[in-house]
Amino acid sequence: MSTRFAQYLTPEKEAELADIAKKLTYPGKGILAADESMATCGKRLQDINVENTEENRRRYRELLFGTDIELSENISGVILFDETARQADSNGVPFIKVLEKKGIIPGIKVDKGVVPLAGTLNECTTTGLDGLRERCEEYKSMGIHFAKWRCVLKISKFTPSYQAMFENANVLARYASICQQAGLVPIVEPEVLPDGDHDLETSRRVTEEVLAFQYKALADHHIYLEGTLLKPNMVTPGQLYPGQAATPEQCATATVQALSRTVPAAVPGVVFLSGGQNEEGATINLNAINNVAQRRPWALTFSFGRALQASVLAAWQGKDENVKDAQKELLKRAKANGDAALGRYKGGIQGAAGGKSLFVKDHAY
């Protein structure tokens, strides 16, 4: 490190962070995002006519985390919500310990949600920096080893603005710095929303610009890149694009181009969000990304929420007698995405949710 700046991470902490990031992106593995807020989890439960109570949320998370140890063959880590991180299974075993026993690394969502960004055209930023250091230190003491913070940017005629890209990049960099000091690997998530009628080329251009702002900010804050992960959107046309649909190969090429022009090779892995794609579509696009004939110095894998859980919820329906069937759906989707992360997915694995669209306009957690 340059002598202009005091080193704020010891070599031991750097090694620990790099090791966690490497384990999270082990070949053929990805991350289950189970970090929905109480309100968002409630919406998922409402869709299957289950009341949004703390006990029902706990029952659902127990279903996920109690899945057979085979789950660890394709799931390296799970992102939790604060409530979930403090809950236990029906035998009284904390969920963090349940995951640890399977060799799955517990993570945590630490942002406090999006808020309007003054002076912009309906753009936003993300709150939660106040008290973040103390929260991260507590989470680390609980056995949690990585964190996630989501910012969102919107494509329209006048957005994303310079102000929004600059502000969100710096918020994510400040979060990353605090996490690393506490021993948590930060997942940096500057999501370009799929809302809109823009074409694939516009999506690629904006994604590149957002990522360029992001890595400038991370450099300015002296972030140890080997101890981070990036969670971006795949590059796809807007959900309302009126033209011909882009093929998985076209989306994959645009995605890898955007990454190769902006993301340093020091970053160990890119864990894509599904961005409202249906389960099979997200998996097929991930597989295509891993077969693009371009240089890819990072692991390219998944950090899916809806695209891993839609079929689970459809099979469960809130009934105890359906738990095993629901867990089979999770294993099936995890295996499909694990294969896609290796570029080996052959397609055709349909879940209980079928090809149901998972797009939610202005998606918030």
Side-chain angles (χ1 to χ4, degrees), residues 26-266:
Y26 188 85
K29 293 189 179 187
I31 295 170
L32 167 62
D35 58 329
E36 300 89 354
S37 67
M38 290 179 279
T40 301
C41 189
K43 293 176 184 176
R44 306 277 188 270
L45 295 177
Q46 184 180 11
D47 288 342
I48 57 170
N49 299 312
V50 174
E51 186 181 359
N52 182 22
T53 64
E54 181 179 353
E55 174 58 16
N56 282 336
R57 294 192 297 271
R58 189 204 64 78
R59 288 175 60 225
Y60 176 56
R61 266 53 185 266
E62 181 172 7
L63 180 162
L64 295 174
F65 310 151
T67 301
D68 189 82
I69 195 169
E70 182 186 345
L71 183 66
S72 64
E73 294 178 8
N74 299 111
I75 299 296
S76 58
V78 173
I79 309 173
L80 306 172
F81 186 66
D82 182 82
E83 176 188 67
T84 317
R86 303 179 191 280
Q87 290 176 326
D89 67 13
S90 54
N91 294 316
V93 181
F95 283 146
I96 290 173
K97 296 297 182 184
V98 171
L99 294 171
E100 286 178 345
K101 288 178 182 178
K102 288 183 167 66
I104 296 174
I105 301 172
I108 189 79
K109 165 184 153 71
V110 296
D111 69 71
K112 297 292 186 179
V114 299
V115 294
L117 181 58
T120 67
L121 185 63
N122 299 318
E123 294 181 282
C124 56
T125 188
T126 305
T127 60
L129 290 175
D130 289 348
L132 180 59
R133 181 186 301 276
E134 292 76 16
R135 298 202 307 277
C136 286
E137 289 172 351
E138 180 191 11
Y139 290 140
K140 185 69 176 181
S141 71
M142 291 167 63
I144 289 169
H145 298 292
F146 70 100
K148 192 203 83 165
W149 181 294
R150 175 181 181 253
C151 287
V152 295
L153 298 110
K154 305 174 183 179
I155 296 179
S156 73
K157 183 177 180 181
F158 301 107
T159 63
S161 64
Y162 179 96
Q163 181 184 354
M165 290 187 287
F166 180 85
E167 169 66 17
N168 284 293
N170 278 280
V171 164
L172 280 163
R174 291 174 65 193
Y175 138 81
S177 177
I178 293 168
C179 283
Q180 289 194 332
Q181 291 178 62
L184 301 179
V185 168
I187 294 181
V188 176
E189 183 177 358
E191 177 183 1
V192 179
L193 291 173
D195 307 54
D197 60 0
H198 51 276
D199 61 13
L200 183 66
E201 176 61 21
T202 300
S203 179
R204 182 197 57 75
R205 176 182 57 78
V206 172
T207 298
E208 281 184 24
E209 193 169 8
V210 167
L211 292 177
F213 271 83
Q214 189 58 68
Y215 281 96
K216 171 63 164 59
L218 292 174
D220 288 344
H221 286 76
H222 319 302
I223 302 304
Y224 176 61
L225 293 181
E226 290 85 346
T228 67
L229 296 175
L230 174 68
K231 182 170 179 175
N233 51 284
M234 297 181 190
V235 176
T236 61
Q239 286 283 341
L240 301 178
Y241 177 60
Q244 184 176 357
T247 66
E249 291 72 25
Q250 289 170 328
C251 292
T253 298
T255 299
V256 176
Q257 282 178 343
L259 296 175
S260 66
R261 293 167 179 171
T262 53
V263 181

Side-chain angles (χ1 to χ4, degrees), residues 55-56 58-60 62-63 315-327:
E55 174 58 16
N56 282 336
R58 189 204 64 78
R59 288 175 60 225
Y60 176 56
E62 181 172 7
L63 180 162
W316 180 46
Q317 296 295 314
K319 299 176 182 177
D320 290 342
E321 60 267 29
N322 292 341
V323 166
K324 290 298 182 183
D325 287 340
Q327 290 174 337

